Amino acid sequence: MEESMRIREGIKNKRAFIRGSATNDFLASIVVFLVALPLCMGIAIASGVPPAKGLITGIIGGIVVNIFSGSPLQVSGPAAGLAVVVAELIQEYGIEMLGPVLLLAGFMQWLAGAFKLGQIFRAMSPAVIYGMLAGIGVLIFASQFHVAIDEKPHTHGLDNLLAIPASIQKAILPPASSNHHIAALIAIATIITIILWDKFKPKSLRLLPGALIGVVLTTAIATSLRLPIQYVNVPGNLLEAVQLPQPAGLFRLLHAPLILEALAIAFIASAESLLSAVAVDRLHSGERTDFDKELSAQGIGNMICGALGALPMTGVIARSSVNVEAGGKTKLSAILHGVWILILVVAAPGLLRMIPTSSLAAILLVTGIKLIEVEHIRKLKFYGKAPLAIFFATFIGIVVTDLLSGVLIGIVLTAMTLLYKMSRLNIHMQRDDDRPRIDIYLEGAATFIRLPKLAAALEQLPPQKELHVHLDKLAYIDHSSMDLISMWAKQQEQMGSQVVMQWDGLEDRFRRPFLPGRAIAA
């Protein structure tokens, strides 16, 4: 009887938990939807594609990806980090190649997840990641500065930066029959609203994003005054934005440059998604992320986006953190946010067409600035000059050249720094004036790279001495260095020296090449 009551009580508690979770997920999904909606359209504009393509990605990222997701509370959708890559891809190869390249990138991600490579993407140096985000932030800011005054951005990021003074002049002293100043005022109003809302918002409305408040306010102003500026262009039927890959485009994927473009999208999307998943895990105490499963889910989502000609997606920390803060408990909240985007686009596309383009550009201006986090630079300073150098090299490389080149510069510098640290060898000698004894201390890693330095130090020692070689602080010694020390010890014995090798714990890890019975003792 008691057992039956316990079972019924357990079932009752479980049902109450499910009902509570469903309620929390429903409310959280609405908040995430309000955050995601302007970002989906704004990132699409920053990428040089119609806003509807960003909305399609938001819908797929919400409804489809979260069914397969390995991160229960992560929200996926178009990310600012890939806007620069997509814009450059379209300018170089045309918008018709976006779908095929994304198909290939998604397939690469899916394969990486299937082969359990999720943890590898997490091993990226923070200096490269921070430099990449800062570089992307500058490029987004530079391009959207021109969009904010209803001006078309330039092809390259450096050109956008150099053209900012000219755009400022157009906003202050607009040419005849132009409305750059009106668009600029709308953008400024949006930014001011975001700043003020984030600073002074009431606690009861703390979950409402400043970006949404800014867009609603400026849309109301622009609509009521019928301002002659550019507005979001969303088709009445979302299917009009779908662009299926053509056979000719699929065959073009055999070209190496397009394979590299797909690799760049797969790499950046995977790194951003998994880093976001790590951050989300720190925000809640529930189920942890399965990184390989999450990587495969992102690959599936990007393959679908590629098949529809939409934008690439990643897991994004901004929307994910809002999901956790709003009380999301399961995948349902992220799935529902995609449903709400779909319903709005299908049922009321006219509302979206009332939004000024400059208002969405203003949101991206704020987003770009937030990607340049000074706190990241401060953290890197604690680890020495090398991480800072890698950060700035990656950052400058992205701004001056392109995203892939900048990231590769950072990776190469990281590898070179690691190689240097792994091959660093300190040799210290201590002489005893009262006795014919010399202590040789080796610290670091004795590898073939430092072999000339080690040989020079050992060969300068005089014969007929008592030589004690201390290896307790040696982290690693390779075969070439062991062979050198062995030959040197034999030569010293022949010249009348006594050699004592202080192995300590090193012999537990590396075999001793010296035969027993010699004057070389452990």
Side-chain angles (χ1 to χ4, degrees):
M1 186 72 176
E2 291 181 2
E3 181 68 22
S4 176
M5 289 179 64
R6 279 198 300 269
I7 293 173
R8 284 198 296 270
E9 187 67 25
I11 294 173
K12 183 179 177 181
N13 292 337
K14 188 173 182 180
R15 286 175 177 171
F17 175 78
I18 293 173
R19 284 196 299 270
S21 295
T23 302
N24 288 334
D25 287 333
F26 177 80
L27 296 174
S29 70
I30 295 174
V31 178
V32 177
F33 156 71
L34 295 175
V35 173
L37 182 65
L39 287 174
C40 287
M41 293 185 290
I43 291 168
I45 292 172
S47 304
V49 301
K53 289 184 178 292
L55 293 170
I56 292 174
T57 299
I59 292 167
I60 295 169
I63 299 175
V64 178
V65 170
N66 281 286
I67 294 174
F68 305 99
S69 174
S71 182
L73 296 179
Q74 176 155 266
V75 181
S76 298
L82 284 168
V84 177
V85 180
V86 173
E88 292 176 351
L89 170 67
I90 292 172
Q91 289 161 359
E92 185 75 21
Y93 302 102
I95 195 170
E96 67 276 3
M97 286 308 299
L98 175 60
V101 170
L102 188 51
L103 261 174
L104 180 57
F107 181 67
M108 290 176 178
Q109 286 183 284
W110 179 80
L111 278 181
F115 283 98
K116 310 294 183 184
L117 301 181
Q119 299 293 341
I120 293 178
F121 284 94
R122 296 181 63 202
M124 180 62 59
S125 165
V128 176
I129 295 295
Y130 296 157
M132 180 183 77
L133 293 175
I136 289 170
V138 168
L139 293 179
I140 289 173
F141 179 88
S143 66
Q144 295 309 292
F145 197 95
H146 307 291
V147 179
I149 66 166
D150 282 355
E151 182 87 339
K152 187 176 180 180
H154 296 272
T155 303
H156 299 291
L158 195 58
D159 294 335
N160 281 320
L161 275 174
L162 296 175
I164 285 178
S167 291
I168 293 175
Q169 185 178 1
K170 289 179 181 178
I172 298 174
L173 300 170
S177 72
S178 70
N179 296 308
H180 297 306
H181 58 300
I182 301 176
L185 288 173
I186 289 294
I188 292 170
T190 305
I191 293 172
I192 291 175
T193 303
I194 292 172
I195 294 171
L196 292 177
W197 180 260
D198 289 343
K199 190 168 180 131
F200 300 110
K201 60 186 172 184
K203 287 186 178 180
S204 58
L205 301 176
R206 63 186 176 85
L207 293 178
L208 281 180
L212 177 70
I213 303 300
V215 167
V216 170
L217 178 62
T218 52
T219 298
I221 293 171
T223 303
S224 60
L225 298 179
R226 297 183 180 179
L227 298 179
I229 55 177
Q230 295 180 17
Y231 293 87
V232 171
N233 182 19
V234 177
N237 184 353
L238 193 61
L239 293 177
E240 294 177 20
V242 172
Q243 189 172 5
L244 301 177
Q246 299 301 310
L250 295 174
F251 281 117
R252 286 182 66 188
L253 288 177
L254 298 175
H255 292 80
L258 287 170
I259 295 175
L260 285 176
E261 292 284 351
L263 185 62
I265 291 175
F267 176 82
I268 295 168
S270 301
E272 187 168 346
S273 296
L274 298 185
L275 288 171
S276 172
V278 172
V280 173
D281 281 350
R282 294 174 181 171
L283 297 176
H284 68 95
S285 57
E287 182 184 349
R288 304 290 93 179
T289 296
D290 181 332
F291 292 98
D292 297 314
K293 187 177 179 182
E294 178 65 21
L295 191 54
S296 293
Q298 294 293 329
I300 292 170
N302 275 322
M303 282 192 284
I304 296 173
C305 287
L308 300 178
L311 281 179
M313 74 173 62
T314 74
V316 277
I317 184 58
R319 277 156 268 185
S320 303
S321 59
V322 166
N323 187 28
V324 175
E325 190 178 357
K329 300 297 182 184
T330 69
K331 295 179 180 181
L332 181 62
S333 58
I335 293 172
L336 285 176
H337 110 276
V339 173
W340 308 144
I341 296 176
L342 176 61
I343 291 173
L344 178 65
V345 172
V346 172
L351 287 176
L352 301 178
R353 287 196 286 267
M354 296 166 63
I355 299 174
T357 302
S358 57
S359 182
L360 295 179
I363 295 173
L364 269 293
L365 285 174
V366 176
T367 302
I369 292 173
K370 286 182 177 179
L371 288 174
I372 312 167
E373 293 197 39
V374 178
E375 186 60 31
H376 288 163
I377 302 175
R378 291 190 184 131
K379 287 180 181 178
L380 292 175
K381 284 174 65 177
F382 288 106
Y383 298 96
K385 294 180 181 179
L388 278 178
I390 294 170
F391 170 87
F392 283 109
T394 306
F395 169 70
I396 295 171
I398 288 172
V399 173
V400 174
T401 57
D402 56 68
L403 185 60
L404 182 59
S405 299
V407 171
L408 288 176
I409 289 171
I411 292 173
V412 170
L413 287 178
T414 302
M416 291 173 63
T417 303
L418 181 62
L419 183 62
Y420 169 76
K421 288 184 176 180
M422 289 181 63
S423 64
R424 186 169 54 182
L425 177 65
N426 293 325
I427 304 172
H428 173 65
M429 299 200 185
Q430 183 177 334
R431 299 172 186 267
D432 192 334
D433 296 333
D434 298 330
R435 292 191 302 164
R437 170 170 172 162
I438 300 176
D439 288 274
I440 304 105
Y441 296 90
L442 301 184
E443 181 180 359
T447 66
F448 68 94
I449 297 175
R450 299 297 177 187
L451 197 64
K453 178 182 179 179
L454 179 60
L458 295 177
E459 288 170 1
Q460 71 177 2
L461 293 170
Q464 299 181 352
K465 296 284 185 180
E466 183 182 343
L467 304 174
H468 290 251
V469 183
H470 299 266
L471 303 174
D472 55 306
K473 293 185 178 179
L474 199 62
Y476 175 75
I477 183 168
D478 66 5
H479 175 74
S480 59
S481 297
M482 290 286 279
D483 187 63
L484 172 69
I485 293 176
S486 175
M487 296 301 297
W488 168 79
K490 292 176 183 177
Q491 292 171 359
Q492 288 292 334
E493 285 181 347
Q494 293 169 1
M495 292 187 291
S497 295
Q498 180 186 3
V499 181
V500 179
M501 304 297 294
Q502 303 285 353
W503 287 100
D504 291 341
L506 193 65
E507 67 175 324
D508 296 332
R509 290 171 288 164
F510 304 97
R511 289 195 302 173
R512 295 166 54 186
F514 307 104
L515 296 175
R518 297 189 182 266
I520 307 169

